[in-house]
Amino acid sequence: MVFQDRREAGRVLGELVAELPDLKDGLVLGLVRGGVPVAYEVARKCGLPLDILIVRKLGVPGQEELAMGAIASGGCVVVNESIIRSYHVSEKKLEYVIERETQELQRRETLYRGGQSRADIEGQTVVLVDDGLATGASMRAAIRAVKGRVRKVIVAVPVGAKSTCEELALVVDHLVCALVPEPLEAVGMFYRDFEATSDGEVKELITVAMQLRTRKS
């Protein structure tokens, strides 16, 4: 199966998430940026409010596509010690990358929210949504950012690597994945349209979601 785009993937995923028991007090959090269009459709299908969680990958200096960790909204930092050792990343370089990505995270918070506050997640069931799981670095940071504050953590993705899904399933209440190919060479292979989600699309979707949330409250 190949999804047309992230919105179609979200509609398929939403059908699966809607079957889960006890979604009362639920809130869908889309990981910025690619997870937001998916999360929008999941939230619509499940009749749940939508908000965003900004996660920034910490790339190895000189090999930025290789994740040595991630940071998430709220100051959560997750690092991969084995990658840091293997690529001889010094503490000073790590701190520099964390500071740089923290600044970008804060810029995006301001851009996307337009002055609106974050949704209150305390004591709620939170559905963390991304467009796919490869290594899972970003999702691990997202889980750590919400765990301990919420009643239940659900991870939902349209496609994910089998080993990553199995690992994350051990630390959350539910993990929903529509496709689990083995091996997973690239998440984008399961989308006909996998163009990068723009800042404008994220802002538009979160603005609509916040307006709906305001009306219901």
Side-chain angles (χ1 to χ4, degrees):
M1 180 179 181
V2 177
F3 304 111
Q4 177 60 39
D5 54 21
R6 291 178 177 87
R7 297 289 287 270
E8 182 188 60
R11 289 190 287 272
V12 172
L13 185 61
E15 296 279 352
L16 300 176
V17 174
E19 294 177 0
L20 292 176
D22 192 21
L23 287 176
K24 184 181 71 172
D25 297 326
L27 171 70
V28 178
L29 293 180
L31 272 61
V32 172
R33 290 182 291 190
V36 178
V38 184
Y40 180 82
E41 296 295 341
V42 171
R44 285 185 60 191
K45 176 61 183 177
C46 298
L48 298 175
L50 170 71
D51 203 345
I52 57 172
L53 183 64
I54 301 178
V55 179
R56 294 290 297 172
K57 179 172 66 177
L58 302 175
V60 172
Q63 298 187 56
E64 278 69 22
E65 288 305 309
L66 178 61
M68 60 179 175
I71 61 172
S73 301
C76 174
V77 180
V78 175
V79 296
N80 186 323
E81 295 290 353
S82 64
I83 294 291
I84 289 172
R85 286 194 300 270
S86 297
Y87 288 84
H88 309 291
V89 180
S90 67
E91 184 175 344
K92 186 175 181 180
K93 285 184 177 179
L94 176 61
E95 289 176 352
Y96 170 77
V97 174
I98 291 174
E99 175 61 26
R100 182 188 66 201
E101 295 303 332
T102 297
Q103 291 177 2
E104 176 61 15
L105 187 152
Q106 292 170 344
R107 182 194 74 82
R108 292 190 179 198
E109 285 272 10
T110 301
L111 173 66
Y112 299 146
R113 295 190 183 281
Q116 296 283 341
S117 61
R118 297 177 192 169
D120 181 15
I121 67 171
E122 301 295 330
Q124 297 199 53
T125 293
V126 168
V127 185
L128 299 172
V129 178
D130 206 353
D131 54 12
L133 282 178
T135 65
S138 296
M139 189 58 78
R140 287 186 188 90
I143 293 167
R144 187 171 294 184
V146 302
K147 212 164 189 187
R149 302 169 55 197
V150 301
R151 185 169 63 90
K152 185 182 292 186
V153 180
I154 298 167
V155 167
V157 291
V159 58
K162 185 173 185 289
S163 59
T164 303
C165 289
E166 289 175 347
E167 180 184 340
L168 294 185
L170 298 175
V171 297
V172 298
D173 296 282
H174 293 286
L175 187 142
V176 181
C177 186
L179 301 176
V180 189
E182 184 65 30
L184 172 65
E185 295 181 9
V187 168
M189 291 176 62
F190 294 86
Y191 290 85
R192 291 188 181 89
D193 178 0
F194 200 60
E195 287 294 316
T197 304
S198 68
D199 284 342
E201 184 177 2
V202 172
K203 190 173 181 180
E204 178 184 355
L205 292 175
I206 195 60
T207 297
V208 171
M210 285 182 173
Q211 288 171 345
L212 291 173
R213 199 169 76 207
T214 301
R215 288 174 197 161
K216 289 181 180 179
S217 62

